[in-house]
Amino acid sequence: MLRLAGISKRYGPVVACDAVDLAVHQGEIHGLLGENGAGKSTLMKILLGLVQRDAGTILRGDEPVEIGSPQDAVALGIGMVHQHFSLIDPLTVWENVVLGDKGRVDRSLACAQVEEVAERYGLPVDPTARVDRLSAGERQRVELIKCLRRDPSVLILDEPTSVLTQAESAELFTVLRRVVRTENRAVILISHKLAEVTAATDRVTVLRRGRVVYESRTADTTAQELAKQMVGRDVSLKAEAAALGLLPVAVSPAEVTSDGVALRLRDLTVRYGGVTVLDRLSLDVGAGEIVGLYGVEGNGQATLGDLLSGLVVPDAGTVEVGGAPVDLTGAGALHKAGLGVVPEDRHRSGVVLDMSVAENLALKEDLGFFVSRRRMRAAAQRRAEEFNIVAPSMDAPVRSLSGGNQQRVVLARELSANPSVLVAAQPTHGLDVGAIEDMYVRLRKVAGSGVAVLLISTELEEVMALASRIAVISSGRIVGVLAVGEATAEKLGMLVGGVAA
């Protein structure tokens, strides 16, 4: 249905796509794998007309085509559901679905179309519901309906299950399989989860550093081989399973050396515009323990992270560090109490991109009125060596570092203050396999030194690999806490979906 031949794209000296060949067949789900920076996003942007290629040919069937704009892509039957939702929250479902249509809008006709597509593909949703009142799974359905209403013959899905429960993910792939098989469409599935790709796809292509390094029928390959092709080296699925999107081979409870509760959250409540984002959330984390806070995105985790960073003051509830209550209205009070934070979005609140590595590492230090740049660089160099931060120099802007090294800068700065509690929110988002595994090693080491670690993550494999206990968050409240030894994907999936495990 679609063939890319010799597609290349450069950004200055950086080669994002290097003579990429990709064939997408009718009636198949084609998996596209690769680490961050492998070229997947650039390739899809070229297909959607968002980026213009430097070289190569795109063929629709046997005919060469030009895709100069998103409108050209739609006209050719190419549609995409992006990783991050493109919905307008205050609008209704039907209003979001018709965005971009030309001419007069007929509300009754639009609602009827939404209902027809929803019934046809098994994606139930109320066309008159406001989007900001929908769950993450329902929003994903709206994105799919919005795309399927345009009747694409090639559907691109970018990390489609990142905000879905296990049951919603299974439902999504059931729908996709039906669409592909019964209507002879094609799907390109972009995912970093090997388990997802091996279970859902018919064919798989692996990109590494902008090049196609491997392609195969999915039935003819293995997760081990795909992992090796992704990272360019032999990998241990036992040691690196979680980093590759696979459940750990053997799960055993982490050894906890807790000698008391280091972090106590009690009845934390946050409301925005009449909507309760955190609902009497309570949780304890012991010294030397890693507790995983698990749930799909949009259930209050980001607000909790902001609260523990001192960016949000709760409407009710308390935070205690080391048994002492913290005045949450005081600037820097949580940091002074001994709490360090690796924030969810390192660019928004973790680093200052245009400041140097040395300056970022010193952000939380009391440097006094006069700052010795020599001493600041020397201290930064020591931390860079300890945390394996790779940078051209300590004076280089943090913007120039890779995602993994930026995250190491954040971790090094937070741990240099010798916290008794570390909050790590989505600590491996946007990192490649090597950087993910390095982060896992460091978090285990931190807990082993007696620091209480609260790991906030949407990755099931991550919390099961690292945590001794897993607390599940749904609609802003803790709905269950399981020891990792008794936690299973099924039990956690039921809790995330609001069903007692």
Side-chain angles (χ1 to χ4, degrees):
M1 295 186 77
L2 194 66
R3 183 180 297 277
L4 308 181
I7 299 295
S8 296
K9 178 64 182 179
R10 284 179 174 270
Y11 294 100
V14 178
V15 181
C17 291
D18 188 0
V20 173
D21 294 334
L22 179 70
V24 182
H25 298 273
Q26 193 174 58
E28 286 190 347
I29 299 178
H30 195 121
L32 188 60
L33 272 173
E35 293 189 281
N36 293 300
K40 305 186 300 296
S41 294
T42 299
L43 194 65
M44 293 303 104
K45 286 177 181 177
I46 289 170
L47 260 184
L48 290 174
L50 296 169
V51 168
Q52 299 306 304
R53 65 192 185 276
D54 296 329
T57 305
I58 301 174
L59 296 100
R60 186 72 173 83
D62 295 323
E63 295 293 323
V65 295
E66 289 298 324
I67 306 178
S69 69
Q71 288 77 16
D72 291 342
V74 170
L76 289 167
I78 302 170
M80 182 167 180
V81 178
H82 296 269
Q83 179 178 4
H84 301 290
F85 294 150
S86 59
L87 304 175
I88 311 299
D89 282 353
L91 299 184
T92 63
V93 169
W94 77 264
E95 288 169 332
N96 271 279
V97 169
V98 301
L99 281 176
D101 284 6
K102 295 180 179 179
R104 183 175 176 275
V105 175
D106 185 321
R107 179 183 188 275
S108 297
L109 178 60
C111 287
Q113 288 176 339
V114 170
E115 290 174 339
E116 189 273 328
V117 175
E119 183 177 355
R120 182 179 174 190
Y121 295 106
L123 299 167
V125 69
D126 178 3
T128 63
R130 274 178 50 138
V131 164
D132 57 7
R133 294 172 185 166
L134 300 180
S135 70
E138 289 171 325
R139 292 183 185 211
Q140 183 71 280
R141 290 176 202 163
V142 176
E143 289 278 16
L144 279 165
I145 289 170
K146 185 177 176 181
C147 188
L148 289 169
R149 174 175 169 266
R150 298 181 184 276
D151 201 31
S153 51
V154 179
L155 180 61
I156 304 167
L157 298 176
D158 187 5
E159 301 284 358
T161 63
S162 61
V163 295
L164 302 184
T165 66
Q166 189 179 36
E168 288 169 335
S169 298
E171 178 188 16
L172 171 64
F173 287 120
T174 299
V175 170
L176 287 179
R177 184 64 64 189
R178 183 166 64 248
V179 168
V180 167
R181 290 283 187 261
T182 62
E183 301 184 7
N184 282 322
R185 300 180 194 261
V187 171
I188 300 175
L189 172 63
I190 303 171
S191 177
H192 73 282
K193 297 180 179 180
L194 286 180
E196 193 167 272
V197 169
T198 54
T201 65
D202 301 290
R203 194 177 297 273
V204 62
T205 295
V206 180
L207 293 180
R208 190 168 72 242
R209 296 178 184 174
R211 285 178 171 268
V212 173
V213 294
Y214 185 76
E215 50 189 330
S216 171
R217 285 184 50 80
T218 309
D220 297 334
T221 190
T222 63
Q224 180 89 44
E225 181 62 29
L226 292 173
K228 176 182 176 181
Q229 296 297 336
M230 276 177 63
V231 302
R233 58 177 172 80
D234 288 324
V235 298
S236 165
L237 291 188
K238 184 174 182 180
E240 299 177 271
L244 291 161
L246 299 166
L247 284 175
V249 174
V251 178
S252 58
E255 193 171 317
V256 179
T257 58
S258 175
D259 54 4
V261 176
L263 175 66
R264 175 170 282 127
L265 312 178
R266 282 293 174 270
D267 298 320
L268 291 174
T269 301
V270 175
R271 300 183 187 91
Y272 292 134
V275 178
T276 301
V277 184
L278 291 182
D279 187 4
R280 292 168 293 165
L281 184 144
S282 296
L283 186 65
D284 293 342
V285 185
E289 181 183 30
I290 301 179
V291 172
L293 184 65
Y294 171 66
V296 297
E297 287 183 23
N299 279 277
Q301 302 98 312
T303 300
L304 179 62
D306 285 345
L307 189 156
L308 294 175
S309 299
L311 301 174
V312 169
V313 177
D315 295 289
T318 60
V319 175
E320 294 181 11
V321 177
V326 181
D327 178 8
L328 299 176
T329 63
L334 285 162
H335 171 65
K336 293 171 186 173
L339 189 144
V341 178
V342 177
E344 177 176 346
D345 187 339
R346 57 182 172 268
H347 287 177
R348 181 173 73 91
S349 53
V351 295
V352 182
L353 290 169
D354 291 321
M355 288 174 63
S356 71
V357 174
E359 289 166 338
N360 272 277
L361 286 169
L363 276 177
K364 287 193 173 180
E365 290 184 13
D366 183 4
L367 298 172
F369 190 74
F370 295 103
V371 177
S372 169
R373 294 230 164 235
R374 182 181 60 80
R375 284 200 297 270
M376 187 170 67
R377 283 194 203 96
Q381 189 62 50
R382 288 194 298 272
R383 288 177 194 158
E385 291 170 2
E386 180 182 355
F387 286 87
N388 296 328
I389 299 169
V390 178
S393 77
M394 294 301 99
D395 293 322
V398 165
R399 183 184 299 280
S400 66
L401 273 57
S402 69
N405 283 301
Q406 289 178 2
Q407 197 75 317
R408 290 186 188 105
V409 168
V410 176
L411 187 64
R413 183 187 64 228
E414 297 302 306
L415 293 181
S416 67
N418 297 314
S420 57
V421 176
L422 179 69
V423 178
Q426 315 293 1
T428 60
H429 266 196
L431 305 188
D432 60 29
V433 173
I436 290 173
E437 190 59 26
D438 179 67
M439 180 61 69
Y440 290 173
V441 169
R442 292 185 182 281
L443 290 176
R444 292 188 185 106
K445 183 178 178 181
V446 167
S449 70
V451 175
V453 177
L454 175 59
L455 170 67
I456 303 174
S457 178
T458 58
E459 300 291 345
L460 175 62
E461 304 83 9
E462 190 161 273
V463 294
M464 291 189 73
L466 292 174
S468 58
R469 289 186 297 132
I470 301 173
V472 177
I473 186 172
S474 180
S475 299
R477 66 170 63 186
I478 303 297
V479 293
V481 181
L482 297 174
V484 72
E486 62 187 39
T488 63
E490 291 73 25
K491 285 182 179 180
L492 293 170
M494 289 170 67
L495 285 171
V496 166
V499 180

